[in-house]
Amino acid sequence: MRTIKNLFLIVISLFAAQFAHAQTGSMKDPVSFKLKNGLTIIVAQNTGISKVYANFKSEDDAVKEAEQEGLQNLVTDLFSASEKETNGKINEVKAYNSNQIDLSKAYLTIAGNITPSAAKAIAQKAFGDWKGNTTTESSK
């Protein structure tokens, strides 16, 4: 009976140690900023993981689901593909969506092992010159 109790305590200790290790404050408070074109960038730095994840979302009702999916694929590639491949895709998407998306209603969320300054530099380089659609419902 004592062996079972000791084994149980060892197992509980291992789980507690694993849980405590997983909760080691590697996640920083999110930081948000806007590019000059109105695109909102939200960065959640997490040094506890090795990858960077990104998501693009527009709250503009005029943006079709297929267009959002294409933008999402671009954003994913932005943080995983080579710069040459990504630049070509960015230009294609900007050209196609230049009059479709109101960037003041769009969000680029970046999470993972990336500093806010590095994320800002990438976002600025990729999307900083994108004008988008500046027409809002109230001005129609």
Side-chain angles (χ1 to χ4, degrees):
M1 184 70 157
R2 190 168 212 202
T3 306
I4 293 174
K5 183 178 176 183
N6 286 341
L7 183 60
F8 181 72
L9 288 173
I10 290 171
V11 169
I12 293 290
S13 297
L14 289 173
F15 280 123
Q18 179 66 26
F19 180 74
H21 178 68
Q23 300 296 319
T24 59
S26 57
M27 183 80 170
K28 310 260 188 208
D29 288 336
V31 175
S32 67
F33 54 89
K34 281 189 179 272
L35 298 181
K36 289 181 182 177
N37 60 14
L39 179 63
T40 300
I41 313 295
I42 302 168
V43 182
Q45 182 180 4
N46 185 350
T47 57
I49 60 174
S50 61
K51 293 187 177 187
V52 176
Y53 302 91
N55 185 37
F56 181 90
K57 179 72 178 155
S58 175
E59 293 181 350
D60 191 347
D61 293 338
V63 179
K64 296 179 183 122
E65 190 173 322
E67 292 168 349
Q68 291 227 25
E69 186 177 317
L71 284 165
Q72 179 55 47
N73 291 338
L74 166 71
V75 168
T76 301
D77 287 348
L78 183 62
F79 292 92
S80 60
S82 73
E83 187 173 344
K84 184 178 179 182
E85 293 172 320
T86 303
N87 285 339
K89 290 180 183 180
I90 288 170
N91 291 334
E92 285 178 33
V93 171
K94 284 182 194 175
Y96 179 75
N97 291 298
S98 63
N99 294 318
Q100 304 294 321
I101 296 175
D102 181 351
L103 294 176
S104 69
K105 296 179 183 178
Y107 301 87
L108 175 61
T109 307
I110 305 165
N113 194 3
I114 189 167
T115 64
S117 59
K120 185 175 186 176
I122 292 170
Q124 181 63 40
K125 183 176 180 183
F127 300 108
D129 64 346
W130 188 8
K131 301 297 182 216
N133 180 0
T134 57
T135 305
T136 61
E137 289 298 318
S138 61
S139 65
K140 287 184 179 179

